[in-house]
Amino acid sequence: MVRVTFGGPNLADLGVEDPDQQVKMYFPRTGREAPRLPEPDAGGDVMRWYAAYSAIPENERPWMRSYTIRAHRRHEPAVDIDFVLHDDAGPATRWAAPGDTLGMFGPSAHFTTPLPRADADWILLAGDESALPAIGTLLEALPAGSRAVAYIEVPEQADEQPFDTPAEVTVH
């Protein structure tokens, strides 16, 4: 896994208020310096993004993958996104070079599931390394007095991550 920090003035006002905020990342096709991005809906309907994406001719359509924002720092402005580097060298693995350009759609409150913090006795989270960014944001958003248990499968000890949370958390 590698954590990539993206920067730019458009990242200051993303509206990342809750944990587990998903974004769509657009990777350029082979031979292109930047991805061709979908045209925004003229009426402002963010739910029409997939139709706009599908309207791009297939040979120009960027590869698209979903990721969780691991951290958002408005003051820089920057976001961190963790990428699992697969052996099959998918679009993200082939892309990852400093200075390269990606496109991003989101985050959108339409895709956020609220964390039941107030009325839960405790929370159970489980996942593999691809779920680690979402689990991390959820655990770090828990307030003091909350309890959680997380079971996370990672390939090796070097892939384990610490979580900064005031909650009572047990990680396996």
Side-chain angles (χ1 to χ4, degrees):
M1 184 174 294
V2 64
R3 180 165 291 162
V4 177
T5 299
F6 296 92
N10 293 340
L11 297 176
D13 298 322
L14 279 181
V16 177
E17 306 299 330
D18 294 312
D20 193 18
Q21 292 287 304
Q22 180 194 66
V23 294
K24 300 289 185 185
M25 302 297 290
Y26 299 112
F27 297 89
R29 286 280 183 168
T30 304
R32 296 183 69 103
E33 290 185 25
R36 178 174 170 188
L37 300 178
E39 294 295 324
D41 182 66
D45 183 0
V46 298
M47 298 308 287
R48 298 200 35 85
W49 70 269
Y50 191 74
Y53 172 76
S54 297
I56 299 172
E58 188 174 351
N59 65 336
E60 297 177 25
R61 188 179 309 142
W63 288 290
M64 177 181 59
R65 300 292 186 269
S66 298
Y67 293 92
T68 299
I69 293 178
R70 185 62 180 90
H72 177 225
R73 294 181 302 286
R74 287 191 170 107
H75 60 281
E76 292 189 24
V79 295
D80 294 334
I81 296 181
D82 291 348
F83 292 84
V84 175
L85 301 178
H86 299 283
D87 290 335
D88 65 357
T93 303
R94 289 191 305 267
W95 160 83
D100 282 354
T101 301
L102 284 187
M104 183 175 79
F105 171 78
S108 173
H110 294 289
F111 304 111
T112 302
T113 303
L115 185 62
R117 295 180 269 209
D119 57 353
D121 292 333
W122 61 282
I123 297 170
L124 171 65
L125 299 169
D128 65 5
E129 69 270 20
S130 66
L132 191 53
I135 290 172
T137 64
L138 292 166
L139 291 175
E140 291 174 351
L142 292 173
S146 297
R147 293 183 359 198
V149 176
Y151 288 89
I152 307 167
E153 181 182 26
V154 294
E156 53 191 58
Q157 190 173 3
D159 295 312
E160 294 177 10
Q161 294 182 9
F163 304 113
D164 183 18
T165 178
E168 180 186 324
V169 174
T170 302
V171 177
H172 299 278

